[in-house]
Amino acid sequence: MHTASITIDGRKLLVDSKQTIIEAAASNGINVPHFCWHPKLSVSGNCRICLVEVEKMPKLVIACMTQVSDGMIINTTNDRVINAREAVMEFILLNHPLDCPICDEAGECKLQDYAFSHSSGFSRFNEDKVHKPKRVELGQHVMFDAERCILCSRCIRFCDEIAGKHQLQFVQRGDTTTIETFPGEKLDNPYSMNVVDICPVGALTNTDFRFKSRVWEMSFTNSVCTSCSRGCNIEVGVRNNEALRLAPRLNENVNSYWMCDNGRLNSFKNINSPSRINLSQIKIGNNYSDIIWEAAIQNIVDNLKVFKKNEVAFLLSSEATNEDNYIMFKFAKEAFSTENIYCYKHTEMNDEDDILIRGDKTPNSFGVETLGINSSKLQELIQKINSGEIKAIYSLEDSFQENEDLFNSFSQLKYFALHATNNSKFTTIANIVLSASTSFEKSGTIINFQGQIQRLIPSIATEEDERSLDGFELSRWDKFAAWNDKWGKGPKRNSRSSWKIVSEVANNFGIKLKFKSSEEVFLELTQKNSAFSGMTYLKLGSQGMKIKNKNINSEVKVS
Amino acid sequence: MNEFLKKSEIKRLKNLTFLQRLYIPEILKGIRITLRQIFKPSFTIQYPEQKFIKPESFRGRPVLVEENGVERCVACGLCSRVCPALAIDVQSAETELEKERYPEIFEINMLRCIFCGFCEEVCPEEAIIMSSDYELSFTDYNSAIYGKDKLLVPIEKVQDRLDHLHRTR
Ligand code: SF4
Ligand code: SF4
Ligand code: SF4
Ligand code: SF4
Ligand code: FES
């Protein structure tokens, strides 16, 4: 690396000589205002807000395009620069509508922020503003407001460079310039909604979230998307205990700044969908009725005891956390000393690309493999059921993706206990359905296809939790609402993390599992499996870690 | 008895005159003032038969302005954010009207409201304003939560307040 020594605002810095001024400044904690520059996109240099002064250069230069060179002396805050910035802001705001009250971006808008920090706070413009179309649907998920657009071209560059689909382009000139999709095209690439995040203003809005909440009314929890084995890092926007919006969170090892539309739109919709299971259900005759936890757990214990040890199989889940799977594994091994432990994995290999989306649609199949179990043995399970060798199954939550073979063979079981978050075809053949928490309601870890172990942090409280007491991220309402206010009192589900349910079952079997939190389960896991050795929730932090060894199967020993 | 000070240590701030020490003249003075007031016009208002004349700047309960049959409010949530008593709950939604947003639910908890007028001051649309209505009574908690049905007031009825705001802002 060639280095250059430069001075920014009097600070002497040694930087990579390939960097631009804005990059060099950013990597040293100096923020130069910018609209069109984005660390992952090509430089377009059209907004001009990043103008800085370089000594010996006659004019101000744009920091995002100018490469550093040895001996450069840069000023980002002197009067000349500030004047230029205010002038640029005045130009950008000339035709900008006074839309903040009805604009979804308000509260997290770069233009709004800069209007406070880098603008004179006064407009000299008395003429009529240029009017452009509002509410233009660029694609199914993205709404465009042409008046708010500041023509930074970030959205165009995103489609071209990251999503690899040329779908957006500038049309017209001067103050009538606007963005359109190419004729006959729609903004429909699988990553289209990332343009909403990178749009520095509210010109592009998320049609799914539009007007649901103001950003300052939500709390934001760092978690991980569970729609495929990439495990994009996300930020869950919650108001009144309801997830309203997901947005990607930077993690250079996993997803960079992006996430796919499917994960963003669909991974949280099961929480409050009509099919959500609210309390455990027991099958009586052909109907299901609610059953309290104690009775549900006793039912499993009583029924599993009826069978011989080798007649019972256990299903781990690639959709459950490592903690859930470990407890189930431990229970199966200790109470049944069985080899009949299986797992299912849902893949759609034709829906995989070389950007983010993975064909493996389960978030934690890798985690199950660290226990020495993988989905390749599933056929064996089907055979054993069909031949009557296995008569009962206890399974963690899994959608099984309506797999016909599995369904037919599970239908023959004498006893089928299933953890589930939502009703599906498989819950109609279960003898008992235990109400499991979704990935937004529980704490735990999952391992993505690269071996990156990451934390799920609960953002939605279940009936067992109290947002303000149990360490949830809190919005203003959560903090200040009294018992008789409506705020923060959205629906809560009567569900539990699977490891808790299985622990209860195990306890009633006489196997004492005294874990108080998923963290305690994880600590035991780190002692039992060298792949996790030395890890703690604290060390995993918000970015996760790589697990140490991919093939540690044989090393897992319980107790 | 005061156990900390001896009697000789207590000092009077000023010595009373003989007349004052008699008390009677002072009592008579007081009676004279009282008698004088009796014959002056009375201050008391016989509420609720009589009502006081409110100054223009009086802040009664906040109401929503209804114009052409719809609320002016665009559900920006600023009043809800600024309200120091956390009295306002707004749920926005999309409308076909030009304003794009409208409040699907707009509720003010009148048990919380402290009539500070911040909501009126912050509203970018002059959609929520302080009315002159101060006579509120509820018999249970839920009836103290005013929804759009109670909050919406046609613009003609609040024109005075709007004029006042335009004059003083
Ligand atoms: S884009 Fe930003 S500045 Fe423009 S209306 Fe929206 S919030 Fe306001
Ligand atoms: S829509 Fe947003 S991202 Fe695209 S050019 Fe306009 S301001 Fe930039
Ligand atoms: S501030 Fe005005 S426009 Fe905004 S939500 Fe309140 S009443 Fe409606
Ligand atoms: S008057 Fe004050 S306390 Fe009452 S609703 Fe408005 S802002 Fe809240
Ligand atoms: S950020 Fe440099 S010109 Fe836009």
Side-chain angles (χ1 to χ4, degrees), chain A residues 114-365:
Chain A
Y114 286 0
F116 277 89
S117 52
H118 300 302
S119 164
S120 61
F122 174 77
S123 170
R124 292 178 290 177
F125 190 67
N126 293 326
E127 332 298 320
D128 281 343
K129 299 197 176 209
V130 174
H131 287 291
K132 293 182 190 172
K134 297 176 94 73
R135 285 199 267 200
V136 183
E137 231 178 79
L138 287 184
Q140 202 193 342
H141 307 306
V142 181
M143 191 76 89
F144 176 56
D145 185 310
E147 286 185 354
R148 293 179 199 155
C149 174
I150 59 165
L151 306 171
C152 71
S153 86
R154 272 184 174 190
C155 54
I156 302 176
R157 282 175 286 146
F158 173 83
C159 291
D160 292 354
E161 295 162 19
I162 308 287
K165 294 256 166 71
H166 308 286
Q167 293 180 321
L168 297 178
Q169 193 49 279
F170 283 134
V171 295
Q172 307 290 359
R173 287 181 201 187
D175 60 11
T176 51
T177 315
T178 182
I179 304 247
E180 276 180 16
T181 48
F182 285 108
E185 284 248 20
K186 285 254 163 235
L187 178 61
D188 58 0
N189 66 66
Y191 298 93
S192 67
M193 296 176 84
N194 289 295
V195 299
V196 176
D197 306 323
I198 56 172
C199 178
V201 293
L204 298 169
T205 48
N206 172 339
T207 50
D208 182 57
F209 171 71
R210 230 167 113 83
F211 301 160
K212 284 211 178 121
S213 171
R214 306 254 63 169
V215 286
W216 57 81
E217 291 171 352
M218 296 194 286
S219 64
F220 295 96
T221 310
N222 293 345
S223 195
V224 179
C225 172
T226 50
S227 280
C228 82
S229 64
R230 169 74 60 176
C232 291
N233 288 215
I234 55 170
E235 201 182 60
V236 190
V238 175
R239 193 182 69 156
N240 290 346
N241 203 36
E242 269 182 272
L244 297 178
R245 178 181 90 170
L246 304 189
R249 173 166 65 85
L250 176 65
N251 188 337
E252 285 300 359
N253 293 321
V254 181
N255 59 313
S256 188
Y257 288 86
W258 326 114
M259 77 185 290
C260 77
D261 290 1
N262 177 41
R264 183 192 306 249
L265 287 170
N266 300 325
S267 60
F268 66 100
K269 293 287 164 63
N270 63 337
I271 304 172
N272 281 330
S273 89
S275 72
R276 183 70 202 272
I277 292 162
N278 189 22
L279 188 62
S280 300
Q281 311 274 312
I282 186 160
K283 191 175 195 176
I284 301 171
N286 272 330
N287 298 316
Y288 284 88
S289 52
D290 289 355
I291 179 169
I292 58 164
W293 284 106
E294 290 76 13
I297 283 157
Q298 198 55 46
N299 181 284
I300 300 182
V301 175
D302 293 346
N303 278 289
L304 290 185
K305 278 187 175 158
V306 170
F307 301 95
K308 290 204 205 85
K309 286 192 171 175
N310 58 2
E311 287 175 346
V312 184
F314 295 86
L315 256 101
L316 307 187
S317 170
S318 318
E319 292 182 19
T321 62
N322 293 325
E323 288 77 356
D324 297 338
N325 284 317
Y326 175 70
I327 293 291
M328 186 63 136
F329 184 81
K330 188 170 163 120
F331 169 59
K333 285 283 180 199
E334 292 191 10
F336 288 81
S337 5
T338 181
E339 290 300 316
N340 292 331
I341 306 175
Y342 300 90
C343 102
Y344 173 77
K345 170 159 117 182
H346 167 220
T347 53
E348 283 171 28
M349 286 332 268
N350 52 1
D351 183 27
E352 173 162 313
D353 63 20
D354 46 15
I355 305 173
L356 293 176
I357 301 172
R358 303 295 303 170
D360 177 359
K361 296 298 173 202
T362 52
N364 195 28
S365 48

Side-chain angles (χ1 to χ4, degrees), chain A residues 498-540:
Chain A
S498 284
W499 68 264
K500 274 190 199 165
I501 306 175
V502 182
S503 295
E504 289 275 320
V505 173
N507 285 339
N508 286 10
F509 250 89
I511 293 161
K512 293 291 169 225
L513 299 181
K514 293 270 173 266
F515 299 106
K516 287 197 205 66
S517 64
S518 67
E519 188 161 12
E520 291 184 7
V521 181
F522 185 71
L523 283 181
E524 178 168 319
L525 188 57
T526 58
Q527 286 151 15
K528 290 277 150 58
N529 188 335
S530 64
F532 303 109
S533 68
M535 291 180 182
T536 62
Y537 276 6
L538 197 65
K539 283 192 194 153
L540 294 184

Side-chain angles (χ1 to χ4, degrees), chain A residues 4-57:
Chain A
S5 94
I6 59 170
T7 312
I8 303 182
D9 296 340
R11 269 178 68 189
K12 287 208 176 351
L13 304 168
L14 213 56
V15 300
D16 181 352
S17 62
K18 289 212 180 63
Q19 284 182 314
T20 55
I21 295 176
I22 205 168
E23 284 167 348
S27 51
N28 285 288
I30 300 168
N31 185 32
V32 179
H34 53 273
F35 286 118
C36 67
W37 177 74
H38 186 283
K40 290 284 153 176
L41 300 176
S42 64
V43 176
S44 98
N46 60 17
C47 75
R48 317 309 283 187
I49 194 73
C50 67
L51 287 171
V52 292
E53 186 186 73
V54 175
E55 275 179 24
K56 301 213 184 83
M57 287 203 185

Side-chain angles (χ1 to χ4, degrees), chain A residues 62 71 91 113 118 130 137 230 234 268 272 309 346 366 405 427 431 445-446 450 461 463 515 518 542 554:
Chain A
I62 50 173
F91 272 125
D113 292 351
H118 300 302
V130 174
E137 231 178 79
R230 169 74 60 176
I234 55 170
F268 66 100
N272 281 330
K309 286 192 171 175
H346 167 220
F366 206 93
D405 289 349
T427 56
N431 297 72
T445 56
I446 54 176
Q450 302 158 302
E463 269 187 21
F515 299 106
S518 67
S542 63
S554 52

Side-chain angles (χ1 to χ4, degrees), chain B residues 62-132:
Chain B
V63 295
L64 288 176
V65 180
E66 183 180 331
E67 200 176 17
N68 306 326
V70 288
E71 64 283 304
R72 271 187 173 178
C73 171
V74 296
C76 70
L78 289 183
C79 52
S80 163
R81 177 63 184 84
V82 80
C83 177
L86 279 84
I88 307 180
D89 187 11
V90 192
Q91 176 60 57
S92 50
E94 183 146 13
T95 157
E96 289 308 313
L97 298 174
E98 201 194 338
K99 65 179 185 178
E100 294 190 35
R101 282 171 82 104
Y102 83 106
E104 197 174 22
I105 298 170
F106 197 111
E107 287 177 348
I108 304 186
N109 183 343
M110 293 311 299
L111 290 173
R112 274 185 173 263
C113 176
I114 54 170
F115 303 90
C116 64
F118 282 12
C119 48
E120 173 187 62
E121 200 172 321
V122 81
C123 180
E125 306 287 331
E126 278 185 352
I128 190 167
I129 58 173
M130 305 306 277
S131 68
S132 52

Side-chain angles (χ1 to χ4, degrees), chain A residues 327-512:
Chain A
I327 293 291
M328 186 63 136
F329 184 81
K330 188 170 163 120
F331 169 59
K333 285 283 180 199
E334 292 191 10
F336 288 81
S337 5
T338 181
E339 290 300 316
N340 292 331
I341 306 175
Y342 300 90
C343 102
Y344 173 77
K345 170 159 117 182
H346 167 220
T347 53
E348 283 171 28
M349 286 332 268
N350 52 1
D351 183 27
E352 173 162 313
D353 63 20
D354 46 15
I355 305 173
L356 293 176
I357 301 172
R358 303 295 303 170
D360 177 359
K361 296 298 173 202
T362 52
N364 195 28
S365 48
F366 206 93
V368 181
E369 281 170 29
T370 63
L371 290 166
I373 309 295
N374 69 51
S375 58
S376 59
K377 285 203 308 175
L378 205 67
Q379 212 50 44
E380 179 189 312
L381 173 67
I382 294 178
Q383 273 161 18
K384 280 188 178 174
I385 296 172
N386 294 352
S387 68
E389 203 181 327
I390 282 175
K391 300 201 172 74
I393 281 188
Y394 183 19
S395 169
L396 288 184
E397 67 268 28
D398 207 318
S399 56
F400 302 116
Q401 293 304 314
E402 320 277 295
N403 181 316
E404 277 298 323
D405 289 349
L406 270 192
F407 183 78
N408 291 337
S409 91
F410 282 13
S411 308
Q412 307 164 26
L413 289 167
K414 294 248 162 51
Y415 185 70
F416 180 27
L418 177 66
H419 289 199
T421 60
N422 292 70
N423 280 312
S424 70
K425 212 167 144 181
F426 282 77
T427 56
T428 65
I429 54 168
N431 297 72
I432 188 155
V433 180
L434 290 128
S435 167
S437 293
T438 62
S439 60
F440 292 85
E441 291 159 326
K442 67 183 174 189
S443 168
T445 56
I446 54 176
I447 307 180
N448 85 347
F449 78 105
Q450 302 158 302
Q452 183 88 1
I453 174 165
Q454 315 194 79
R455 276 202 67 192
L456 288 177
I457 298 178
S459 49
I460 308 290
T462 64
E463 269 187 21
E464 293 193 332
D465 315 306
E466 192 58 58
R467 288 195 78 85
S468 51
L469 298 176
D470 291 326
F472 285 78
E473 294 292 338
L474 300 179
S475 69
R476 191 167 164 257
W477 303 140
D478 294 328
K479 277 184 205 148
F480 299 120
W483 63 271
N484 51 5
D485 280 317
K486 290 182 183 169
W487 298 312
K489 309 277 189 302
K492 280 184 175 179
R493 302 293 163 167
N494 195 339
S495 65
R496 290 183 184 173
S497 304
S498 284
W499 68 264
K500 274 190 199 165
I501 306 175
V502 182
S503 295
E504 289 275 320
V505 173
N507 285 339
N508 286 10
F509 250 89
I511 293 161
K512 293 291 169 225

